[in-house]
Structures are given as structure tokens and as C-alpha cells.
């Protein structure tokens, strides 16, 4: 099933990275997908960890988003955070 480019816009997400010991996975980024300026490229609005306020906007290739956890709404995003923190 192919996902249309614009279907990711508006989805909240969490990303993960290996910890320094390379044995565990930790939360890395949190935010929302806000744009699709070119095929396979997305603008994502990142949120601060402490306050949840907007921080940076990043340009990300779809290939780098393969392991991200997406949520359709803020409620799911908040619940997801509580489960994985």
C-alpha cells in the first residue's frame, strides 16, 4: 500500500536513538509534520522536551522517517509519550 505524500502532514511523532552505551534506545525528537515541499522531503516542527513548545523546524527525507512512531492526534501523541518515557 503506497502512502500519498501529503498523508503524513499533521501527524505527531516521536523519534528514537541509541544511547551512548549502544545498548538502549532513548527518545530523540518529538513534533509534528507540517509540510511536504518536495516529493520525499518533509518539514517537521520539533517541540521542546521540557515545555512542549515549538523549537526548530527541520527538513527530513522520508527514508530517515522509517523508524518514527506516528500519531494521528495530540491525545495519541501524549499517551504514546507516557508509555515510552
Amino acid at each position: 500500500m503506497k502512502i500519498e505524500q501529503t498523508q503524513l502532514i499533521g501527524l505527531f511523532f516521536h523519534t528514537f536513538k541509541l544511547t551512548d552505551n549502544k545498548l538502549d534506545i532513548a527518545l530523540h525528537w518529538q513534533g509534528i509534520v507540517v509540510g511536504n515541499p518536495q516529493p520525499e522531503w518533509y518539514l517537521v516542527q520539533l517541540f521542546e522536551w521540557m515545555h512542549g513548545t515549538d523549537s526548530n523546524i527541520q527538513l527530513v527525507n522520508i527514508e530517515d522517517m522509517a523508524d518514527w512512531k506516528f500519531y494521528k492526534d495530540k491525545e495519541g501523541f501524549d499517551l504514546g509519550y507516557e508509555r515510552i518515557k
Side-chain angles (χ1 to χ4, degrees), residues 17-85:
K17 67 175 181 176
L18 285 175
T19 58
D20 291 338
N21 67 13
K22 307 285 190 226
L23 299 175
D24 297 307
I25 295 174
L27 287 169
H28 184 220
W29 283 354
Q30 63 177 359
I32 187 170
V33 180
V34 295
N36 179 219
Q38 291 188 18
E40 300 188 18
W41 287 93
Y42 289 88
L43 289 171
V44 296
Q45 173 68 63
L46 301 180
F47 301 151
E48 295 286 343
W49 284 107
M50 293 297 290
H51 306 289
T53 56
D54 295 352
S55 63
N56 300 330
I57 293 178
Q58 296 283 130
L59 184 62
V60 182
N61 189 280
I62 187 71
E63 292 179 12
D64 297 327
M65 300 166 82
D67 294 329
W68 292 17
K69 173 70 176 160
F70 290 98
Y71 309 90
K72 66 179 180 176
D73 55 33
K74 179 84 164 82
E75 182 179 356
F77 172 75
D78 291 340
L79 288 172
Y81 176 75
E82 290 301 318
R83 290 183 186 142
I84 57 179
K85 70 175 182 173

